[in-house]
Amino acid sequence: MSDTTREFDYNEALACCARGDHDALHTLYRLEGARMLGVVQRIVRDRGMAEDIVHDAFLAIWQRADTFDSEKGSARTWIFSIARHMALNAIRQRERLVGEIDADTLEQRDDTRPESPSAEAFDWHTGQRMDECLKALEVERRNCVLQAYVEGLSHAEIAAHTGAPLGTIKAWIKRSLVRLRECLA
């Protein structure tokens, strides 16, 4: 632990975050962001996912800073526990998705073959449902999803195109995909 980290008052930083002080959150991120990314990446074993989780963790720290109780533990432990729990939840969700995909694949193998290859390649009903679900997204978020998955742009290219921060673009796309999946279910 560096001297800067030892001298920094994490309790006060969280209190400042609770009062809406953006500089306090920025300082927390500057001091702990890289370390938190390392911890999360060791848990999820995926750099991109780890970056998303760290972004979401700092948003949660910002939003829930007023719930921190120094009687229950240190502020530094509290912020890392948020990231750790998010990482573990992401692993559980990923395992559920893989299990669902495997189950769907098995069910498809049991089904009869489609009438033609074109019927398999394009399911009109699913296409219509996807259009409806896309229309339900906010315009900015829908455009990000379309740029990523239709136009093939990277998150960084989308961020440069829209002028929004990279972390915001990643969060929008991630949350939009969750909403699309729920809508299509």
Side-chain angles (χ1 to χ4, degrees):
M1 189 182 300
S2 71
D3 288 338
T4 305
T5 307
R6 276 190 214 125
E7 295 171 11
F8 185 71
D9 187 348
Y10 288 86
N11 290 352
E12 181 58 28
L14 286 177
C16 289
C17 286
R19 291 190 301 269
D21 183 350
H22 291 92
D23 290 336
L25 183 69
H26 177 73
T27 302
L28 280 173
Y29 180 80
R30 188 176 44 77
L31 288 173
E32 298 297 344
R35 190 173 293 110
M36 186 180 290
L37 179 61
V39 169
V40 171
Q41 191 170 345
R42 279 192 297 277
I43 295 170
V44 299
R45 301 191 191 302
D46 179 300
R47 174 77 181 206
M49 181 184 280
E51 289 172 352
D52 288 343
I53 292 168
V54 169
H55 175 265
D56 292 346
F58 274 98
L59 284 175
I61 290 164
W62 174 255
Q63 293 166 344
R64 300 190 328 222
D66 62 330
T67 66
F68 169 68
D69 182 358
S70 62
E71 305 262 328
K72 294 181 180 177
S74 78
R76 194 161 181 251
T77 300
W78 185 79
I79 66 172
F80 275 89
S81 69
I82 289 174
R84 182 178 173 278
H85 285 107
M86 288 181 151
L88 293 173
N89 287 340
I91 288 173
R92 289 182 195 110
Q93 181 179 16
R94 183 172 56 189
E95 289 171 353
R96 276 194 307 271
L97 290 174
V98 169
E100 289 173 12
I101 290 169
D102 290 345
D104 289 345
T105 303
L106 290 174
E107 287 174 16
Q108 287 174 356
R109 288 183 187 155
D110 292 342
D111 290 346
T112 58
R113 289 275 181 212
E115 295 171 13
S116 69
S118 62
E120 181 177 79
F122 184 74
D123 179 352
W124 184 256
H125 179 70
T126 302
Q128 286 179 321
R129 286 181 51 217
M130 177 61 83
D131 286 343
E132 291 168 9
C133 293
L134 280 167
K135 286 177 186 173
L137 295 174
E138 294 175 34
V139 175
E140 250 179 344
R141 288 158 174 75
R142 176 175 59 236
N143 289 340
C144 288
V145 170
L146 293 174
Q147 288 172 346
Y149 291 96
V150 175
E151 297 174 26
L153 298 180
S154 70
H155 291 166
E157 290 169 325
I158 296 168
H161 178 72
T162 62
L166 178 59
T168 300
I169 296 299
K170 289 180 177 183
W172 284 352
I173 291 173
K174 178 181 173 183
R175 291 183 183 110
S176 295
L177 292 176
V178 169
R179 289 186 57 199
L180 286 172
R181 188 165 187 272
E182 290 170 351
C183 180
L184 289 169

